[in-house]
Amino acid sequence: SIGSAANTGTDLNVSGKNYVAYCFAEVNGFSKFGSFTGNGSADGPFVYCGFTPRWILIKDTVGADTAAWLLYDTARNTYNVDGSILCPNLSDAENTNSAWYIDIISNGFKIRSSYGQLNLSGSSYIFAAFAETPFNYSRAR
């Protein structure tokens, strides 16, 4: 468990262990961080980013299977529906299972699966997305 009233959980605040924290700040037109709630349908939720994502990381926080982080990008799969995932927290190879389908679109991404790690009804998911072409901060030539 993570933490307790005395901050002595088995995954946090263990004497002699090293920890890493990755902290990001949202930049308009470049990065977006947030959460969405699954609906359990193959016509899943749409997540607005305000840009076309180049790279998306999604994590189930409370559902049946919170182990895997699901990483999508437009370099490995250049068309929709995208089901090519990497799990950066696991040693697994790339997976192309249809259970993890999403569409990466001009202003965000759309879940195209009812799979529990990606869209369990009522489950909460966190995400990080980075823009393919960050218009707000690019220089014209």
Side-chain angles (χ1 to χ4, degrees):
S1 68
I2 295 181
S4 68
N7 290 325
T8 59
T10 58
D11 294 329
L12 182 66
N13 196 25
V14 176
S15 179
K17 296 285 185 177
N18 294 319
Y19 297 91
V20 175
Y22 296 100
C23 304
F24 297 96
E26 199 169 281
V27 176
N28 188 29
F30 176 75
S31 58
K32 181 78 172 172
F33 309 97
S35 63
F36 63 92
T37 302
N39 66 11
S41 167
D43 185 18
F46 164 73
V47 179
Y48 178 79
C49 295
F51 52 78
T52 302
R54 171 71 166 179
W55 186 95
I56 305 165
L57 185 65
I58 301 172
K59 171 94 167 76
D60 184 359
T61 62
V62 295
D65 189 352
T66 59
W69 290 81
L70 307 178
L71 175 66
Y72 299 86
D73 64 79
T74 59
R76 291 175 301 116
N77 194 0
T78 59
Y79 54 89
N80 286 322
V81 176
D82 187 354
S84 299
I85 64 159
L86 296 172
C87 296
N89 65 314
L90 303 173
S91 61
D92 301 359
E94 178 183 46
N95 193 320
T96 57
N97 188 328
S98 64
W100 293 294
Y101 279 169
I102 70 169
D103 283 339
I104 297 174
I105 53 182
S106 63
N107 59 352
F109 60 95
K110 171 87 170 148
I111 308 299
R112 295 289 184 191
S113 169
S114 59
Y115 187 63
Q117 284 182 307
L118 186 58
N119 188 20
L120 183 67
S121 182
S123 193
S124 181
Y125 299 83
I126 57 174
F127 73 91
F130 293 91
E132 185 166 85
T133 307
F135 288 112
N136 290 358
Y137 302 97
S138 63
R139 292 185 166 183
R141 292 185 180 242

